[in-house]
Amino acid sequence: MPNSANTSALGAFRRAIAQRQNVRNYGVWSFLLLSLGVTAWFTPGFLSWGTLDNTLIQAFPVLLVALGMTMVMSSGGIDISVGAIMAIAGAVSGRLYTSNAGLAPSVAGGILAGGLCGLFNGTLISKFKIQPIIVTLVVMIAGRGLAQTILGKPSVSFSFNSSLNVLGQYKIAGLPIQIVIMIAAVAMMLFVVKKTVFAKHVEAIGDNPRAARLVGINILRTTACVYVLCSILCAVAGIMKVALTGGVNAAGLGKFIELDAIAAVAIGGTSFSGGRARIFGTVIGAVIIPLVTVIAGMNDMRDHHAMIFKAVIVIGVLLVRRER
Amino acid sequence: SCNRGASASKGKSVAYSSPGDANGWFLAFSSELKKEAEKRGYSFSVTHAQQNTARQLSDVEDIIAQKPTFLILGPKDTKASADALRTARKAGVPVIVVNRDINGEHGADYITKIYSDFEWIGEKMAQAVREAFPADKKTIRIVEIHGTLGSANTTGMSKGIRKVIDNDARMELVRSQPGNFQRDVAMAAMENIIQSGVEFDAVICHYDDEAMGAIQALTRKGRKMGNDPSRGEIIIVGNGGTTVGLEAVKAGKYHKIVSVTPYYADKVFEAIEAHLAGKKLDPYIRVDDIVIDKNNVDKHMATGF
Amino acid sequence: MKTDSATIKTGVIDTVKSQGPLVMLVVLCVIAGICFPAFATSLNLVNISRQISMFGLLALGMAFVILSGGIDLSVGSIAVVASIVALQAGRWFAPAAVVAPILVGVAIGAFNGALITWGGIPPFIATLAMMLGVKGLAFVLAGEGRSAAAAEQVVNVSGWFPVIFRGDCFGIPYPAIILIAALGVAVVVSKYTSFGRSVFAVGGSEEAARMMGLNVNKCKMLVYMICGGCAGAAGLLLASRLKAIDPTATGGWELTAIAAVVIGGIPLTGGLGKIGHVIYGVLILGIIPNLINHLRISLPPWYNEMITGMLLLAVVLLQSLIAKRGTR
Amino acid sequence: MVEDCLLKMTGICKAFPGVKALQDVDFSVKYGQTHALMGENGAGKSTLIKVLTGIYQKDAGEIVFDAESIAPTDAAQSQHMGISTIYQELNLAPCLSVAENIFIGREPKKYGLIDWKTIESRARSILGDMGVTGVNVSRPLNEHSVAIQQMAAIARALSLDAKLLVMDEPTSSLSETEAGLLFDVIRRVKARGSSVIFISHKMSEVFEICDTATILRDGCLVGEYPMADLTKLKMVSLMIGRDATSVLHRKKEVSRGLDDRELVLKARGLSRAHRTKEIDIDIAGGQILGVAGLLGSGRTELARILFGDEICDGGEIEIAGAAAHLRTPRDAIRLGVGFCSEDRKAEGVFPHMSVMENMTAGILGELSAGGVLSRKAQMQVAQTYIDKLGIKTSGPDQRMGELSGGNQQKVLLARWLCKKPVLMILDEPMRGIDLGAKSEIEDIIADLAGKGVAVLMISSEMEELIRSCDKIVVLSEGRKAGQLTAREISEERIVQMLAHGSHPGQEAVHAK
Ligand SMILES: Nc1ncnc2c1ncn2[C@@H]1O[C@H](COP(=O)(O)OP(=O)(O)OP(=O)(O)O)[C@@H](O)[C@H]1O
Ligand SMILES: Nc1ncnc2c1ncn2[C@@H]1O[C@H](COP(=O)(O)OP(=O)(O)OP(=O)(O)O)[C@@H](O)[C@H]1O
Ligand SMILES: [Mg+2]
Ligand SMILES: [Mg+2]
């Protein structure tokens, strides 16, 4: 009986709640649009295909790694070895390529090496129950050493018209190959997250590992797959970066990318304690970070000022999209 | 002389504290030292501080605890690494300073300092740019891709470059962005600079790898580079002497390299032996660097590292 | 009777299990002592104690943060800014060189805490942004001029200032004394104060802690302030050691500190573990590079990385095997 | 009028997206009163409590506590005002010791430092008052069974000396004996002049301890009644809004005498780590085996062993005639075993996933083709069980964590029902489930057995066991104290066996 009397009041309240959510959702977008508008105003040449091209090309490795990281974090883990795995994959490909193995085998070899690293991570984490951050720290340190050992020297260069370098500059229907791979990877991950049993199992493990074990999810295999998937994406990122820059620098390739990737995933809204993987969010996060670098570079910002600028933008975005 | 060296070196150990990481230059330098030490019969070991000052001070302490006969110190930072000298002096281990400058007292803290003069290299690079343009060119707009912020060689080269530019009304530094001595970082920086629409005639890079990144970026964005500005080619000058860099000079994409040679291990060991023989050395022994261009690149090809 | 021996047995297993880090440390030291004559010398041990003091302090502060279920990636940057502040402030008023860095650390820690509690930003990303921002600030404070050309920043250091790092008392270096004192305080705080216990509760489950009526926000604020303060103190030691401004001096410290905490037996998920054991993690990570330097090799740096990684792997693998043996 | 009310909540409204959890609810508690808050699963009881203690912010309404208008914004505030609460989902620090959980936030100090000795001795004495002795209070909470955890939560709330003690299903994991001891404590609290709000789905308890009942239905107030005016039937009818005769008077089927059927489970000499000792279990297809025992008697451990979650040191298990080597739950699941844990929060729910995903988590393989999930099939399963079990949810896509406790439990049961196992192990399956749903679930279990599934059911409520089971095994201190066949089952026999087997030992055992 108090039902009818209260419907309108409650309805109004519900609308208010919905609006508050809108503020949060659209807040991020308006914040971004506003900052882009301001940037465009004081950055000559900002609104152009070239800027987009720069941003996407520079976002490419971060995005690929962040996609893998999204799955890892959705399983409640973390992977700080992503940069080292990029280096290993790059080194293997580079080494194979310089010993005239041909383009396809070199690329395949690099991807295989990356996958093996992921297998190593996943096995240690799930079978030996060592904390993900420690396992991947080991791989981060030893892996980078391994990459340089594989390469045998600090850096290797390919001639400008070698097939590997041509691959890096290749365009498909006018689009740089990196952008095509990026679109494919995002589509694939969206499919995986939305449609597959695997992703649900990953989410379940991240949400409550104990319950996941008791419903019979194969934690060992699923965890291993998550890290392998992440590593393969890292490997592709690493190899493509080698192809783009026409050289391998095993000591520097992918260094510190783990921080950018984790930041991208966090900006995207995937929780650090596991749970739902948000691919779209990750994409936005992964593009924001290089975009800030591009803006800083285009405006000739000093390096240390760019650091502060980046920090302010990241904190700003997160303050707007915070969930309380 | 070989013989005398062998007897002087009997049972003597030399340790090198390298500030660097896996960078071609540092590898070449330490392997030269190793070769030279073996040739002269010293036992030799090396530590790598991975560009971290605190790590280097620890490395030196660890080395000194093993009581080597000599310490070869490549300071990470001119001022902040100076504590390493104190550690060595306290233990009575004589020090030869290499790679770059350090604050300390000649005689008390170190035997001598041997390294390339980065300020000189910076000046030479800027001069090389100037010489590439005809005298009637009104403005020479320069982009600098510099090394890791705060590192001593970056600081030195930047200073040298500015010294020349500031004293020449025609020369103008339009952009300066970090390349962190790395190909990919430099490539991204160069792409962003191109995209910003700023006009420039020349690029100065603090290292060959950065130059390679810049070349990749320019190529990708459809720019030409070479030795002839009148044909719209951008002049790229850098510091280094890596095989990759030398090949690019030969290919005509990289205008000039001011070398920073890692081949002075003999000088270092000569200094050590002179000290053993009781001779007093000069506070600073300069390492001679050269400018490599299309004309003399073949001659120096073998020195690439 | 039977149950008695059973309890004793589980007791022993429990002890070994919980002392995994100590066991590994002892193993490492014994091997080192046997293989390298120069390892067990007093000079080397004193060196190690000095070398670990800085990131030991970082690890202690970090331990509180991780126990509370958070993380702080900005500690390296805080330490370096603190070291710069110490030297700059010391030029004006000597005692400020000691107080200022710690205050700066606490202040930045408070800012971190505010971002995390009131800003609702996940700790990892909030402190990651701060790591960048504060590092940028370090360069600004260091007076780095346009691009890479560093302004000559001459710092006149008072005679007593370097003694903080260099001095010793009956052969025990001051930094070691500072670390041990800090460790003692940390252990007491974590075990015998309401705040210390609330850190564990918050780390175990923030929601539960809130429902039990604990002031979760205050706890988190304090934790980040402590961590900042510890980083500030590490910065003070750094300043006293370098006697010069070097904004790049602390690269990678945050990861080492985190690793030390985790190896010391505090999982990243928080709520579990003993602060006192962090020192084992600190020592293990401090000894590994020392060991490698004692190998007296002349190989490229990547072999160092491989050896470090392998040693670390061995340590954590053995630790995990010990723990597994215990449970089954 | 107002003076004799300790708490007066008027016109309380609370809405969550898609759900009106509370609509214009009035609720008041007098000084020195034990007040029952009743309602079906999802009626809004817990929400009302959380609004009172400041965990949720009310949308409308007023709260007057001890003659002062209050609007707490967090639990700490309400605690300071003198409201001490046991929440339904145990909210304690899992890694801290039992003693600490009781005292955290107000530890006794000596020289400004926490006095651990006092904490532990006081914890022991508070628990002792509640009849729990022999608990190692310095061990972490999560090493203890859910029942002990619940005791710890009660002890914490009691030790706060509050004006108002709120208990949201404090007895859901306790057996009658333990609940009885709790009631003694509640009576003492009452005698002290404090009031108590008591929520429970166990009717007998409510009638035993409460003076007044407020009944909620679908977030709306039904009314406030003196206990004396109510009968069980009337109360349930008010709760469900229709005549409850059919719900309450469910007759037990006559024993089905299934012992001659083929055994689905045959376990011999199960032992583990000095806790489980030489247990033999037989369950035939279609049989429901009840396991009775006191707190800490090893029932849960037995269930875990049979599910492969814990590995036994000795003994053999045969499932459906074949020797089973269970090393992980997956091994057991593959052989057709299902297990619903007593610890809903820690071992059951995926709080951030949807109801649908929670329900189908175990059968995703069957609902997919080549690893690609069919959302339609998932929806279908979810909708079927939502209807079948009467799960109150805004839809299959609602987040599991947002469901009321009882409804979460139903989802977890559905998770295993849709898996169609051959042996179903249910550890306290009725925890927090309302009366109406309970009888429905009993029907479902009977139905399951009717289809030939062997069921092992653990419960602390004797009545439940007696009503449903064909056979009862009584455990005591990890040992099988006896077994009752259908004909022998009676409350006296079980109590007798429990008493017989129980003597003070190392682990948690009752004083009485
Ligand atoms: N955080 C939340 N978000 C959305 N809906 C919620 C939330 N908490 C509770 N609800 C909804 O509010 C209603 C009332 O839930 P409440 O927990 O109060 O029930 P209850 O009476 O305690 O039931 P039970 O006996 O099962 O514990 C339910 O329909 C539930 O789904
Ligand atoms: N990990 C453990 N460490 C120490 N003791 C344990 C552990 N697990 C169980 N126990 C003890 O073993 C005994 C059996 O526990 P179990 O949970 O099986 O009892 P239960 O009969 O199910 O009782 P409850 O009604 O409490 O659920 C208990 O006394 C419990 O405290
Ligand atoms: Mg409830
Ligand atoms: Mg149980």
Side-chain angles (χ1 to χ4, degrees), chain A residues 302-323:
Chain A
R302 299 174 208 181
D303 201 17
H304 50 290
H305 291 171
M307 287 180 195
I308 299 176
F309 179 53
K310 234 184 207 181
V312 170
I313 294 288
V314 168
I315 289 175
V317 169
L318 284 159
L319 279 180
V320 175
R321 73 161 298 283
R322 69 183 161 170
E323 283 174 35

Side-chain angles (χ1 to χ4, degrees), chain D residues 145 299-300 342 427-428 458:
Chain D
S145 70
R299 294 163 298 177
T300 298
E342 63 177 343
D427 194 354
E428 309 277 4
I458 298 172

Side-chain angles (χ1 to χ4, degrees), chain B residues 188-200:
Chain B
M190 195 71 232
E191 283 190 334
N192 296 340
I193 291 169
I194 298 167
Q195 188 52 39
S196 74
V198 66
E199 298 288 328
F200 57 92

Side-chain angles (χ1 to χ4, degrees), chain C residues 97-241:
Chain C
V98 177
V99 184
I102 296 172
L103 288 183
V104 164
V106 171
I108 300 176
F111 192 76
N112 279 335
L115 285 179
I116 290 158
T117 52
W118 285 290
I121 303 179
F124 199 107
I125 179 80
T127 56
L128 174 61
M130 287 298 284
M131 164 183 160
L132 269 183
V134 174
K135 197 163 170 197
L137 182 69
F139 279 101
V140 174
L141 287 181
E144 214 77 355
R146 168 84 191 160
S147 96
E152 287 292 313
Q153 191 76 48
V154 182
V155 180
N156 298 316
V157 182
S158 318
W160 55 269
F161 191 67
V163 175
I164 300 174
F165 190 81
R166 272 295 146 210
D168 61 51
C169 174
F170 299 114
I172 306 171
Y174 288 152
I177 295 174
I178 293 173
L179 180 60
I180 292 167
L183 182 71
V185 172
V187 168
V188 170
V189 166
S190 80
K191 186 128 206 261
Y192 293 101
T193 65
S194 295
F195 159 71
R197 301 318 296 173
S198 69
V199 172
F200 283 81
V202 169
S205 161
E206 211 176 302
E207 186 202 358
R210 203 163 269 140
M211 288 192 167
M212 284 196 286
L214 301 177
N215 191 338
V216 174
N217 279 359
K218 184 178 134 198
C219 172
K220 282 169 52 178
M221 277 303 286
L222 272 176
V223 151
Y224 286 95
M225 284 163 74
I226 289 178
C227 188
C230 285
L236 167 63
L237 289 182
L238 181 72
S240 161
R241 167 166 229 193

Side-chain angles (χ1 to χ4, degrees), chain D residues 143-148 173 275 294-302 342 428 460 507-508:
Chain D
E143 281 183 16
H144 294 84
S145 70
V146 181
I148 299 281
S173 296
R275 285 203 291 269
L294 296 176
L295 190 142
S297 56
R299 294 163 298 177
T300 298
E301 185 157 291
L302 172 67
E342 63 177 343
E428 309 277 4
S460 302
E507 303 289 353

Side-chain angles (χ1 to χ4, degrees), chain B residues 53 59 61-62 86 162, chain C residues 147 166 241 246 290 293 297:
Chain B
T53 320
D59 282 345
E61 285 167 359
D62 295 348
R86 199 202 54 84
R162 277 162 187 69
Chain C
S147 96
R166 272 295 146 210
R241 167 166 229 193
D246 179 1
N290 182 268
N293 282 344
I297 48 176

Side-chain angles (χ1 to χ4, degrees), chain D residues 229-406:
Chain D
D229 294 359
L230 288 172
T231 61
K232 206 167 165 183
L233 181 65
K234 187 168 174 206
M235 176 124 93
V236 179
S237 302
L238 286 168
M239 276 161 60
I240 62 178
R242 61 187 157 85
D243 183 51
T245 321
S246 62
V247 174
L248 286 179
H249 296 276
R250 224 182 117 258
K251 256 201 244 116
K252 184 185 173 177
E253 287 168 45
V254 223
S255 159
R256 284 168 289 159
L258 298 162
D259 278 334
D260 51 331
R261 284 231 208 149
E262 221 165 287
L263 289 185
V264 169
L265 174 73
K266 182 174 160 191
R268 290 287 170 269
L270 296 181
S271 307
R272 194 187 113 83
H274 307 287
R275 285 203 291 269
T276 301
K277 294 156 199 152
E278 299 284 328
I279 295 181
D280 299 343
I281 299 270
D282 289 325
I283 314 178
Q287 208 171 36
I288 304 176
L289 173 79
V291 181
L294 296 176
L295 190 142
S297 56
R299 294 163 298 177
T300 298
E301 185 157 291
L302 172 67
R304 289 191 194 291
I305 290 173
L306 293 175
F307 192 57
D309 186 38
E310 275 175 21
I311 301 168
C312 52
D313 306 330
E316 278 137 40
I317 302 173
E318 258 180 43
I319 291 171
H325 301 284
L326 307 178
R327 304 208 53 87
T328 63
R330 282 172 59 72
D331 297 339
I333 291 169
R334 229 176 276 129
L335 295 171
V337 186
F339 171 64
C340 190
S341 163
E342 63 177 343
D343 196 344
R344 183 162 66 220
K345 189 173 172 188
E347 309 194 318
V349 300
F350 301 114
H352 296 101
M353 297 175 77
S354 70
V355 169
M356 174 180 86
E357 285 163 345
N358 267 276
M359 217 182 270
T360 55
I363 54 165
L364 291 178
E366 292 146 45
L367 300 180
S368 63
V372 180
L373 264 177
S374 156
R375 194 181 143 83
K376 216 172 112 198
Q378 262 185 308
M379 270 306 214
Q380 213 163 12
V381 172
Q383 204 56 57
T384 311
Y385 282 93
I386 287 174
D387 296 342
K388 209 163 164 184
L389 301 185
I391 298 172
K392 198 164 287 173
T393 161
S394 60
D397 283 323
Q398 191 176 8
R399 246 175 41 137
M400 183 72 163
E402 296 172 351
L403 254 53
S404 81

Side-chain angles (χ1 to χ4, degrees), chain D residues 42 45-47 88 168-169 199 201 404-406:
Chain D
K45 305 178 293 293
S46 302
T47 306
Q88 180 175 15
D168 193 350
E169 304 199 26
I199 301 177
H201 290 294
S404 81

